[in-house]
């Protein structure tokens, strides 16, 4: 089989037209809105060394639109295989399929999905509420806690979304994470497994341990005051002056009301103040930098807070 040489991000920008219900940004899809998602979706490419990709992220950063949906669309159109798309809660699976259906239509690839066929015992195949079949592969949506579903499939690609909401284990099947990874073991040298979640409680988190096993990439952007690369943090000491705090800052007036012009960020490198006027340009100039050695080769991990989210 000849594998496609078009990267998933290139495919998305070429084929996807954002529609009502998909995003607040309408028209041709562009990674200029959420540039930090481009590298993560391109981990999908067959020649990319990533095998396990863990993403610990804030909410509202455009991750589903920038990574999960285009990665699945690109797979259907360019590099078909079995796809598992699992959510932490069972009641989220139907909404996940709805968004995938919107993506399929907005990318113009509905013709690649086999039509619904009524089988014996009232079973449907082809294009259903939980499964899409296409030449060379299939897409199945469900809950990460449904170990019975997991046992039915061996796949080369899996997205485990909202991973912190999944049960860590069950008495019947043991570790959820171990069971998920067993579903991809037959494709070990070509598999792509994404663990994705906004973290909840640290003591019971699923996403933090898998993030720590990877190379712990952080998105660095240039400070508009000193041009040094920084990670946007909620609160962090200024370098060389531990008594001064950098990060998000604001002031209240004498009556206790917020002063809007005081809201901004103090750079941890130079200690200077800036607001979000140049946030778009900062994100465009940003880059992912590893901060640790991965536990095994091919284990990439990313941490991104909501401070990077674009306006809108």
């Amino acid at each position: 089989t000849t594998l496609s040489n078009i990267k998933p991000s290139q495919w998305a920008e070429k084929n996807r037209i954002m529609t009502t219900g998909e995003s607040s940004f309408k028209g041709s899809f562009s990674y200029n809105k959420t540039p930090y998602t481009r590298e993560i979706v391109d981990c999908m490419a067959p020649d990319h060394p990533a095998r396990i990709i863990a993403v610990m992220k804030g909410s509202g950063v455009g991750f589903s639109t920038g990574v999960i949906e285009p990665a699945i669309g690109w797979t259907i159109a360019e590099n078909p295989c079995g796809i598992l798309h699992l959510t932490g809660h069972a009641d989220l699976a139907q909404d996940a399929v709805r968004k995938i259906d919107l993506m399929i239509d907005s990318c113009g690839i509905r013709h690649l999905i086999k039509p619904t066929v009524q089988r014996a015992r009232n079973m449907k195949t082809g294009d259903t509420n939980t499964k899409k079949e296409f030449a060379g592969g299939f897409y199945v949506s469900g809950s990460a806690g449904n170990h019975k579903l997991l046992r039915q499939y061996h796949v080369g690609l899996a997205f485990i979304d909202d991973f912190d909401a999944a049960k860590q284990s069950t008495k019947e099947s043991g570790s959820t994470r171990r069971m998920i990874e067993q579903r991809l073991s037959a494709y070990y040298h070509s598999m792509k497994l994404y663990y994705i979640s906004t973290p909840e409680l640290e003591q019971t988190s699923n996403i933090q341990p898998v993030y720590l096993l990877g190379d712990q990439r952080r998105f660095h952007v240039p400070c508009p005051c000193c041009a040094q690369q920084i990670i946007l943090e909620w609160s962090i000491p200024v370098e060389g002056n531990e008594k001064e705090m950098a990060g998000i800052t604001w002031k209240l007036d004498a009556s206790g009301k917020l002063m809007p012009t005081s809201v901004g960020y103090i750079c941890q490198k130079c200690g200077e103040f800036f607001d979000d006027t140049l946030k778009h340009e900062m994100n465009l100039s940003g880059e992912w930098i590893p901060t640790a050695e991965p536990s095994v080769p091919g284990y990439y991990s990313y941490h991104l807070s909501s401070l990077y989210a674009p306006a809108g």
Side-chain angles (χ1 to χ4, degrees), residues 114-309:
K114 294 179 181 179
T116 304
V117 176
Q118 191 80 30
R119 299 292 190 189
R121 298 182 182 178
N122 204 32
M123 296 291 289
K124 293 181 179 179
T125 62
D127 187 355
T128 72
N129 289 337
T130 58
K131 189 174 184 179
K132 315 290 175 188
E133 296 181 30
F134 46 90
F138 58 85
Y139 162 89
V140 172
S141 177
S143 166
N146 186 347
H147 289 194
K148 184 177 180 180
L149 171 70
L150 278 171
R151 282 192 288 268
Q152 295 177 25
Y153 296 100
H154 287 277
V155 296
L157 170 60
F159 294 92
I160 319 301
D161 197 9
D162 197 19
F163 189 39
D164 258 20
K167 291 182 178 180
Q168 293 185 344
S169 63
T170 66
K171 292 181 179 179
E172 297 79 15
S173 305
S175 167
T176 296
R177 191 174 123 209
R178 185 177 297 112
M179 175 163 278
I180 289 168
E181 294 178 3
Q182 286 174 347
R183 298 304 91 192
L184 291 96
S185 60
Y187 302 89
Y188 179 77
H189 294 291
S190 62
M191 74 177 198
K192 304 288 184 177
L193 169 57
Y194 281 78
Y195 290 113
I196 306 149
S197 192
T198 298
E200 295 180 1
L201 294 175
E202 183 176 1
Q203 296 85 348
T204 57
S205 177
N206 291 323
I207 192 64
Q208 187 180 52
V210 293
Y211 166 75
L212 294 175
L213 287 171
D215 58 4
Q216 301 174 41
R217 293 171 180 244
R218 303 296 303 275
F219 198 64
H220 291 64
V221 294
C223 166
C225 302
C226 66
Q228 295 187 76
Q229 294 283 71
I230 59 172
I231 301 169
L232 297 183
E233 303 277 9
W234 288 99
S235 182
I236 186 173
V238 175
E239 289 188 9
N241 186 356
E242 298 297 314
K243 294 181 180 179
E244 295 292 329
M245 294 304 294
I248 296 297
T249 183
W250 68 92
K251 293 179 181 178
L252 305 178
D253 63 19
S255 64
K257 291 184 179 180
L258 176 69
M259 300 169 61
T261 57
S262 73
V263 179
Y265 192 92
I266 295 175
C267 174
Q268 58 263 47
K269 298 281 189 178
C270 66
E272 295 295 321
F273 171 91
F274 60 87
D275 60 21
D276 65 354
T277 308
L278 296 176
K279 186 177 185 181
H280 177 69
E281 289 76 10
M282 290 169 64
N283 276 346
L284 284 176
S285 300
E287 63 176 323
W288 287 105
I289 299 176
T291 63
E293 286 292 325
S295 58
V296 294
Y299 206 134
Y300 284 57
S301 62
Y302 297 85
H303 178 245
L304 188 81
S305 82
S306 296
L307 295 176
Y308 294 89

Side-chain angles (χ1 to χ4, degrees), residues 6-8 41-51 74 79 192:
I6 183 173
K7 290 184 178 181
V41 74
D42 284 341
C43 288
M44 285 285 301
D47 60 352
H48 195 288
R51 292 293 171 262
W74 172 84
N79 192 27
K192 304 288 184 177

